[in-house]
Amino acid sequence: MKRPFVTLEQLQEIVKQYPTPFHLYDEKGIRETARGLYRAFSWNPGFKEYFAVKATPNPQILKLLREEGCGVDCSSLTELMMSQRCGFAGDEIMFSSNDTPAEEFQLAAELGATINLDDISHIDFLRNTIGYIPKKISCRYNPGGTFTLGESKEGFQVMDNPGEAKYGLTRPQMTQAFRRLKELGAEEFGIHAFLASNTISNEYYPALAAILFRTAVELKEETGCHITFINLSGGVGVPYRPDQPANDIAVIGEGVRRAYEEILVPAGMGDVSLCTELGRFMLAPHGHLVTQVLHEKRTYKDYIGVDACASNLMRPAIYGAYHHITVMGKEDLPCDHKYDVTGALCENSDKFAIDRMLPEIDIGDLLVIHDTGAHGHAMGYQYNGRLRSAEVLLCEDGSTRLIRRAETPEDYFATAIWE
């Protein structure tokens, strides 16, 4: 059973200061997850987590993660700018972009970021843009086809379709790219790949690692390039549903270590550093969307109307994604009422839950929508003039800190031309 990281009593005090809806983050949980990840990969001396900024682009969250030794993975100009303002520089920044404008490559180069190229044509585009090829560079690999892990110990089948993804180079292109980059002065090479999203399996990362490690050995033999780092990317998921098992990062790290020692070490590549970009794993469980019940509507169904909407959390509306809901103060009551939990947008998809069995809900109840710490506030928008909400950090000492104020109508009007 999922339990919020905050009590009803705590929340009642917090909402006196910050009106609902708002996203609430748990500092203690974030730090513990970061430390657990670093313990799991401590066997690899050069290991570094490059947090995917797109998951939770809040400066205070990024600074917190930097304190825990994390870098950042950026995919746009503004993400690079935010990271720079937060104090990240040089090897602390990975720039993984696609369909990239020249100005973004320029800033990445100025910051000393490690550039991860998405296409073979970007080699000359980068060179023409900044005037040189960096001595340290990476290429994103797409093996094509369908990736299937099969039945895991957790009883969950992992399957995705890299061949339909717009990202990365083919296997022959990887060889061509490394040779070309070496000709142009590159000295340190990296490999990146992302094959499946939000996997609930301790076997995914080791399977991905084995694919990348074998590819690295082949590329070294074919091109003579010195491969110094391999980016395992993201894809390690979180259990959005209460009946799903959580990934064990210690088990995952051990599985990657075995593959490393079986494949890279015998090939004389025991100096390769590993890195990850685990946005969802790092943050999703440590964020709640807090909202209050405004209305109950009984027509063909029983609708609970809350003061949050898809502007605050898009995933259920656009993906049909499941997010667990806790009715605060009623955690132990029977879930014997069936509701659709809805927001106020003029879209029928603006529903946080459909036919969800919950305890009986009353007007004024506080609801916690779980696992919104990644791809929650970050995906917000302003349709219907519904404004993006505040972000609040629950500090380790139990106090709270506003880390992003709620938008105001003046923010909404600020970019309009009135005359």
Side-chain angles (χ1 to χ4, degrees):
M1 180 178 178
K2 281 184 177 285
R3 289 277 184 177
F5 56 71
V6 65
T7 66
L8 173 61
E9 291 72 27
Q10 284 178 294
L11 210 50
Q12 286 171 332
E13 290 303 310
I14 294 171
V15 299
K16 290 178 183 177
Q17 190 171 2
Y18 309 110
T20 56
F22 56 84
H23 284 269
L24 182 68
Y25 303 97
D26 178 23
E27 179 185 3
K28 182 173 184 288
I30 295 169
R31 291 189 185 276
E32 288 176 351
T33 295
R35 292 169 189 174
L37 174 64
Y38 272 91
R39 282 195 301 272
F41 285 89
S42 60
W43 54 267
N44 183 254
F47 173 79
K48 194 170 188 68
E49 157 65 12
Y50 289 88
F51 176 72
V53 175
K54 61 181 173 287
T56 318
N58 184 289
Q60 301 306 318
I61 297 294
L62 299 185
K63 289 177 182 178
L64 187 161
L65 289 169
R66 188 166 186 259
E67 291 174 4
E68 297 297 333
C70 299
V72 284
D73 179 80
C74 301
S75 59
S76 71
L77 185 73
T78 45
E79 288 182 359
L80 284 168
M81 293 170 67
M82 177 180 287
S83 299
Q84 180 186 23
R85 293 186 187 188
C86 290
F88 294 92
D91 285 345
E92 293 180 311
I93 304 174
M94 187 81 65
F95 182 61
S96 302
S97 180
N98 68 95
D99 196 21
T100 309
E103 63 179 350
E104 300 191 359
F105 277 138
Q106 287 170 342
L107 181 55
E110 288 172 16
L111 296 178
T114 301
I115 294 174
N116 183 27
L117 295 175
D118 184 67
D119 184 61
I120 193 166
S121 70
H122 293 182
I123 297 173
D124 287 329
F125 183 84
L126 175 64
R127 184 188 181 210
N128 293 336
T129 296
I130 66 173
Y132 63 96
I133 290 296
K135 292 190 181 302
K136 182 178 182 180
I137 198 157
S138 177
C139 289
R140 181 167 183 168
Y141 173 45
N142 184 335
T146 301
F147 174 78
T148 304
L149 187 58
E151 201 69 22
S152 74
K153 292 175 183 175
E154 295 85 4
F156 182 87
Q157 190 178 54
V158 176
M159 190 169 81
D160 219 321
N161 193 352
E164 292 295 320
K166 67 175 182 175
Y167 308 104
L169 287 72
T170 67
R171 180 61 187 82
Q173 287 176 336
M174 289 291 288
T175 302
Q176 296 169 30
F178 273 38
R179 286 175 175 158
R180 175 70 173 149
L181 289 164
K182 188 179 182 182
E183 288 173 3
L184 295 173
E187 297 175 0
E188 294 184 47
F189 295 80
I191 303 172
H192 168 285
F194 183 99
L195 301 187
S197 180
N198 195 44
T199 62
I200 307 296
S201 169
N202 292 332
E203 298 171 25
Y204 167 64
Y205 240 24
L208 169 65
I211 292 170
L212 293 184
F213 295 166
R214 292 189 190 101
T215 302
V217 172
E218 293 169 1
L219 286 169
K220 177 193 174 186
E221 294 172 350
E222 292 168 4
T223 68
C225 291
H226 185 201
I227 297 167
T228 61
F229 65 99
I230 294 175
N231 188 340
L232 300 177
S233 69
V236 176
V238 299
Y240 284 98
R241 295 178 181 272
D243 57 348
Q244 290 177 315
N247 285 318
D248 187 330
I249 198 65
V251 172
I252 290 170
E254 175 61 19
V256 174
R257 184 191 63 79
R258 287 196 298 270
Y260 189 100
E261 293 185 352
E262 290 170 7
I263 300 168
L264 289 181
V265 172
M269 299 177 68
D271 62 339
V272 172
S273 297
L274 300 183
C275 45
T276 56
E277 46 181 62
L278 295 173
R280 190 192 314 264
F281 177 80
M282 297 290 285
L283 254 294
H286 308 307
H288 293 334
L289 175 57
V290 180
T291 184
Q292 190 163 29
V293 176
L294 300 180
H295 301 285
E296 182 174 6
K297 175 179 180 176
R298 293 188 178 96
T299 53
Y300 303 105
K301 302 181 79 173
D302 199 344
Y303 295 99
I304 295 297
V306 298
D307 58 7
C309 64
S311 295
N312 309 112
L313 178 66
M314 286 180 65
R315 297 185 73 254
I318 61 173
Y319 302 140
Y322 180 96
H323 280 264
H324 198 64
I325 296 175
T326 294
V327 185
M328 296 302 291
K330 300 180 180 180
E331 294 89 340
D332 298 317
L333 296 183
C335 295
D336 52 6
H337 286 64
K338 184 187 290 186
Y339 297 112
D340 281 15
V341 180
T342 74
L345 292 187
C346 298
E347 292 288 340
N348 197 46
S349 63
D350 183 22
K351 297 177 180 178
F352 295 113
I354 298 173
D355 294 332
R356 184 75 58 86
M357 298 304 296
L358 293 165
E360 184 175 10
I361 295 175
D362 298 305
I363 306 300
D365 278 348
L366 291 170
L367 306 187
V368 156
I369 303 178
H370 290 250
D371 301 313
T372 67
H375 310 291
H377 190 282
M379 296 175 72
Y381 60 115
Q382 297 173 322
Y383 180 60
N384 271 173
R386 300 290 174 184
L387 304 177
R388 288 179 283 249
S389 57
E391 293 179 289
V392 179
L393 183 67
L394 177 63
C395 301
E396 287 186 292
D397 63 4
S399 65
T400 55
R401 184 157 59 98
L402 185 67
I403 58 174
R404 189 188 301 273
R405 66 166 174 80
E407 288 182 335
T408 67
E410 287 308 310
D411 295 321
Y412 182 68
F413 299 142
T415 55
I417 307 299
W418 294 90
E419 296 291 335

